[in-house]
């Protein structure tokens, strides 16, 4: 299918326009910055920035330190959650979630509490901070320990199964069907415009056959459903819903595990 390929150079240009990362609590104003540009990059509003920083106008100066966000929330991992799904839900990136929670991989477990720094839009959509849980009674504690032990056994069983699976180190870029002239139809006939959240990767069929189910580090479970002229050898192109997410992904070295 015809799709927009986003190069590492493009990502570099975008990211250097505002040098602070999206989850930063503070941002130091650089020459040429405007309040509108900072609000846009950090997914907030000019009014929010003015309120947080007690500004009487939109005038800012190089070297001035601005507060970007004022609160953090938490998410308790539930069965079926993935970092990629949570990143989409809270409108942040998988890399943000990994950095905020000191994660070395995209593996998360049921009951784990993750720190989330929401943007204004995510808060408006009803995302609420998970309240602190009261201390459990002895009976409840024992029950929780039994559940945790059961889940540990399940995870161990899954690990034993995964030891027989083939894992390949690959270079991963990202694309989206959200572009002028993009048909949204993959090489296997999947219509990505009808399901913008569908997890599909473009592959070199000589390395990963079309139709193969895989797990991509930092992306999650997906199907090899597309091809691309630049996707040859140990390269993949992951499908994401929007151009912004494709830019955020950039170019990464990831482990791709063949599931079936």
């Amino acid at each position: 299918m015809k799709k927009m390929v986003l190069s590492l150079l493009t990502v570099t240009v975008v990211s250097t326009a505002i040098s602070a990362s999206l989850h930063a609590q503070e941002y130091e104003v650089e020459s040429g910055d405007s309040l509108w540009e900072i609000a846009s990059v950090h997914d907030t509003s000019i009014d929010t920035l003015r309120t947080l920083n007690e500004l009487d106008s939109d005038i800012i100066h190089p070297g001035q330190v601005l507060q970007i966000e004022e609160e953090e929330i938490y998410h308790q991992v539930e069965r079926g959650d993935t970092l990629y799904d949570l990143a989409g839900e809270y409108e942040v990136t998988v890399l943000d979630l990994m950095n905020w929670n000191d994660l070395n991989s995209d593996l998360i477990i049921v009951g784990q509490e993750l720190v989330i720094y929401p943007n204004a839009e995510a808060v408006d959509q009803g995302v609420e901070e998970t309240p602190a849980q009261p201390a459990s009674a002895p009976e409840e504690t024992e029950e929780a320990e039994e559940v945790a032990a059961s889940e540990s056994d399940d995870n161990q069983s899954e690990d034993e199964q995964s030891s027989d699976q083939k894992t390949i180190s690959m270079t991963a870029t990202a694309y989206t069907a959200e572009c002028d002239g993009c048909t949204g139809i993959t090489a296997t006939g999947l219509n990505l415009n009808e399901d913008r959240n569908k997890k599909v990767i473009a592959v070199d069929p000589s390395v990963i056959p079309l139709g193969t189910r895989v797990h991509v580090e930092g992306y999650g479970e997906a199907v090899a459903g597309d091809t691309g002229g630049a996707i040859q050898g140990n390269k993949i192109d992951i499908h994401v819903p929007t151009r912004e997410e494709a830019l955020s992904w950039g170019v990464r070295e990831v482990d791709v595990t063949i599931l079936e």
Side-chain angles (χ1 to χ4, degrees):
M1 61 175 279
K2 178 181 178 183
K3 52 182 176 284
M4 176 175 58
V5 178
L6 304 165
S7 67
L8 180 59
L9 176 61
T10 302
V11 175
T12 301
V13 171
V14 172
S15 63
T16 55
I18 299 294
S19 59
S21 59
L22 289 179
H23 64 272
Q25 293 297 299
E26 296 180 341
Y27 174 74
E28 184 174 347
V29 177
E30 298 179 356
S31 179
D33 282 348
S34 68
L35 207 60
W36 177 88
E37 184 179 20
I38 295 171
S40 177
V41 169
H42 290 281
D43 291 326
T44 186
S45 67
I46 293 176
D47 287 341
T48 298
L49 291 179
R50 291 181 63 175
T51 299
L52 286 176
N53 295 279
E54 300 181 353
L55 301 177
D56 296 327
S57 69
D58 295 348
I59 299 175
I60 53 178
H61 307 283
Q64 183 177 358
V65 177
L66 298 178
Q67 296 293 321
I68 300 301
E69 296 167 322
E70 62 178 342
E71 64 176 319
E72 63 184 38
I73 61 173
Y74 298 89
H75 177 91
Q76 190 167 28
V77 177
E78 300 177 353
R79 187 175 296 276
D81 281 348
T82 67
L83 276 191
Y84 182 82
D85 291 336
L86 293 177
E89 177 181 349
Y90 290 102
E91 300 184 0
V92 295
T93 69
V94 171
L95 190 57
D96 285 337
L97 294 176
M98 292 178 66
N99 287 339
W100 296 334
N101 295 278
D102 295 324
L103 300 178
N104 296 321
S105 72
D106 61 347
L107 178 65
I108 52 178
I109 59 176
V110 174
Q112 182 177 2
E113 191 173 66
L114 299 177
V115 177
I116 311 286
Y117 290 84
N119 55 32
E121 184 176 354
V123 174
D124 290 342
Q125 290 173 348
V127 178
E128 297 179 358
E129 182 172 349
T130 302
Q133 298 297 321
S136 301
E139 295 81 1
E140 294 174 337
T141 302
E142 292 176 3
E143 182 179 353
E145 290 176 350
E146 291 176 0
V147 171
S150 175
E151 290 176 349
S152 177
D153 292 340
D154 291 342
N155 291 336
Q156 182 177 1
S157 196
E158 290 175 0
D159 290 340
E160 291 172 353
Q161 293 175 2
S162 64
S163 64
D164 297 328
Q165 296 168 341
K166 180 180 179 183
T167 298
I168 310 171
S169 179
M170 309 191 81
T171 300
T173 52
Y175 74 95
T176 178
E178 183 188 51
C179 64
D180 294 337
C182 295
T183 65
I185 307 298
T186 72
T188 58
L190 298 173
N191 190 334
L192 300 180
N193 282 323
E194 291 183 353
D195 187 356
R196 303 303 293 278
N197 293 310
K198 190 170 185 62
K199 293 186 178 180
V200 177
I201 63 171
V203 299
D204 180 341
S206 67
V207 179
I208 301 178
L210 289 172
T212 301
R213 191 167 60 87
V214 301
H215 180 275
V216 180
E217 179 184 3
Y219 181 58
E221 189 173 318
V223 62
D226 206 357
T227 59
I231 307 303
Q232 299 180 2
N234 283 18
K235 294 182 179 180
I236 61 171
D237 211 7
I238 69 164
H239 170 258
V240 292
T242 66
R243 180 177 182 274
E244 288 74 18
E245 290 176 70
L247 287 169
S248 177
W249 177 272
V251 180
R252 306 184 190 181
E253 295 298 321
V254 299
D255 287 336
V256 179
T257 301
I258 308 301
L259 301 179
E260 63 178 31

